[in-house]
Amino acid sequence: MGILKRLSALFGTNNSKPNQRRTSAVPEFVYSINLPENLGIVTSVQHLDRLTVRLEAALNDTYMNQVRDRVMAKHSFTSEKYDWMLLELKRYFILCSILKNVPMYSNDTDIIWHEMLMFTRDYEDFCRNFTGEFIHHQPHTSQPSESERGTERAWYDLIYSRLFVIHPENEQLSHPFFKQHLEQEFLRKIEQNPNDELIKARLRITDDLDVKQLQEEMLLTLSHQIREAHLHMDDLLEQQEKKDNRNAAPGLLRNSAGLDPVLSILLLSSASYHLFEESPLHEEELRKAQDTSGCGAYYANSSPGNHDRTDSHHSNDVSPSDTSGGDSSSGGSSCSSSSCGGGCSS
């Protein structure tokens, strides 16, 4: 039996009629009052705790309280949701310190980032103290293919899951994880040669020792985990073949994948979309899983024009050279009069 059919068999059959759109209202998501400690980092990842300490130290309390006041005055977020939005943004900044370009997948989280940019001097101080470089807020100006968008999201999910524990609140803000697949060739490169130029090209170039050590450890760990996931998947398939399919639990592989993010990515990549033909995602759900807020981060030494993203949905974003009402000495994003209400000063 071919691997696709063998994998598909493990998921059982779906003889029910296609899902009908329900008219009942979806209950409003309730954000927990309990935030994970230390940003919910994966504690086994060495050097990551150093970056979280640096991040928290770089975020001035007075500055962030002002940002919070502005956001809460403009939006009807609960305090619990805001706290999770801020946690998601902090995780995003950690990713920005490691990767060359990072899409922003949460519209709500992006709101806090926008308000941080209004305080140009404070934001510049934060970037300098955290990474030593200005983290630019760059609108996306080109439209990649659906496949490219899916690959970007899969890479984001893979790295995110290696660094942070994923909670329902994170998926609520940034859309469900592990809905996109990576090409088998790319996974093989990570497994066999994590120092391949194609992989290294996705990492931020820096002399920061903490970041360089984390990047090296992350790639070596991913190489090992992909190898282990391959073995785990082979074992599951072998176990399933020894059973009578009629009596086997159809969720065997799916349940196991849920415990291992790398296995989830590997399954999607091995079987591609065929694996989920029997219970496909609606087109709208797939689109949401790929969609960014229309923005991303980049550093001055990595031109955004060389790394395409989705088109910008932010008509008020300005280029680093087109500041208005803010401190232009940083050379980074600033605000326009329409986005800050004219309440800025230089």
Side-chain angles (χ1 to χ4, degrees):
M1 181 187 297
I3 186 170
L4 294 182
K5 291 183 178 178
R6 293 160 63 197
L7 285 170
S8 185
L10 289 175
F11 281 76
T13 58
N14 183 3
N15 297 321
S16 61
K17 296 181 179 179
N19 291 332
Q20 301 294 325
R21 291 187 179 275
R22 298 180 179 179
T23 56
S24 58
V26 178
E28 183 179 357
F29 186 87
V30 178
Y31 287 81
S32 171
I33 61 174
N34 300 313
L35 291 174
E37 295 182 0
N38 200 22
L39 300 188
I41 63 172
V42 176
T43 56
S44 60
V45 180
Q46 298 179 10
H47 310 295
L48 182 54
D49 57 338
R50 297 181 188 176
L51 282 181
T52 61
V53 170
R54 282 171 47 177
L55 174 69
E56 295 290 2
L59 290 170
N60 179 278
D61 287 343
T62 301
Y63 170 37
M64 294 311 295
N65 286 336
Q66 291 174 327
V67 169
R68 181 189 181 102
D69 289 343
R70 284 176 62 92
V71 172
M72 298 299 278
K74 297 177 182 179
H75 304 275
S76 58
F77 299 133
T78 64
S79 59
E80 291 82 9
K81 180 174 181 177
Y82 181 90
D83 290 341
W84 279 97
M85 289 162 53
L86 181 58
L87 178 137
E88 193 71 2
L89 182 60
K90 290 177 178 179
R91 289 182 170 189
Y92 179 81
F93 286 141
I94 292 288
L95 291 172
C96 288
S97 72
I98 301 168
L99 304 177
K100 181 180 292 184
N101 294 283
V102 187
M104 167 59 75
Y105 287 104
S106 171
N107 288 314
D108 288 339
T109 300
D110 194 40
I111 289 173
I112 301 181
W113 191 10
H114 273 234
E115 291 299 337
M116 289 181 67
L117 288 160
M118 299 298 101
F119 301 87
T120 55
R121 290 191 181 94
D122 291 305
Y123 182 75
E124 183 183 14
D125 288 342
F126 156 67
C127 294
R128 183 176 60 250
N129 292 331
F130 177 46
T131 67
E133 298 180 71
F134 197 91
I135 304 174
H136 292 267
H137 183 284
Q138 177 68 18
H140 305 147
T141 57
S142 60
Q143 182 64 51
S145 67
E146 183 176 334
S147 174
E148 290 171 331
R149 293 168 64 197
T151 297
E152 287 298 329
R153 178 62 200 239
W155 170 251
Y156 177 92
D157 291 353
L158 185 61
I159 301 303
Y160 188 106
S161 67
R162 288 301 90 196
L163 302 180
F164 309 110
V165 177
I166 299 173
H167 298 269
E169 287 82 358
N170 304 124
E171 293 199 295
Q172 184 70 20
L173 289 169
S174 297
H175 310 301
F177 289 75
F178 312 121
K179 300 297 184 183
Q180 310 296 329
H181 74 283
L182 284 169
E183 296 296 331
Q184 279 289 309
E185 180 181 356
F186 186 74
L187 283 172
R188 273 196 298 271
K189 287 182 182 294
I190 300 177
E191 179 182 358
Q192 298 173 3
N193 182 19
N195 291 314
D196 185 275
E197 289 301 318
L198 182 65
I199 300 168
K200 285 295 188 84
R202 288 180 171 270
L203 303 181
R204 174 184 166 224
I205 300 173
T206 178
D207 293 327
D208 189 316
L209 185 59
D210 287 341
V211 174
K212 292 177 71 173
Q213 289 177 329
L214 179 56
Q215 289 172 336
E216 181 179 353
E217 179 197 1
M218 182 179 69
L219 291 181
L220 289 175
T221 301
L222 277 174
S223 175
H224 173 75
Q225 289 174 326
I226 290 173
R227 191 175 301 114
E228 290 295 315
H230 270 121
L231 295 175
H232 185 37
M233 185 171 66
D234 290 342
D235 288 342
L236 287 171
L237 290 171
E238 185 177 350
Q239 292 174 26
Q240 184 67 20
E241 284 187 341
K242 293 179 180 179
K243 296 180 180 181
D244 183 344
N245 286 339
R246 291 171 298 178
N247 299 323
L252 172 64
L253 196 56
R254 180 179 287 144
N255 292 338
S256 299
L259 301 176
D260 186 346
V262 173
L263 183 57
S264 298
I265 291 288
L266 186 61
L267 285 171
L268 283 167
S269 305
S270 296
S272 189
Y273 301 109
H274 172 86
L275 190 63
F276 296 98
E277 281 182 354
E278 294 166 355
S279 54
L281 288 172
H282 288 301
E283 181 179 347
E284 179 69 8
E285 291 175 299
L286 279 172
R287 184 191 63 77
K288 286 182 178 179
Q290 295 174 350
D291 271 358
T292 69
S293 69
C295 298
Y298 79 97
Y299 292 89
N301 59 3
S302 61
S303 171
N306 295 330
H307 203 83
D308 293 341
R309 300 290 188 202
T310 59
D311 284 337
S312 172
H313 299 300
H314 299 294
S315 60
N316 292 327
D317 282 337
V318 293
S319 66
S321 61
D322 294 332
T323 59
S324 173
D327 182 2
S328 62
S329 62
S330 67
S333 297
S334 184
C335 58
S336 66
S337 59
S338 59
S339 63
C340 70
C344 298
S345 62
S346 60

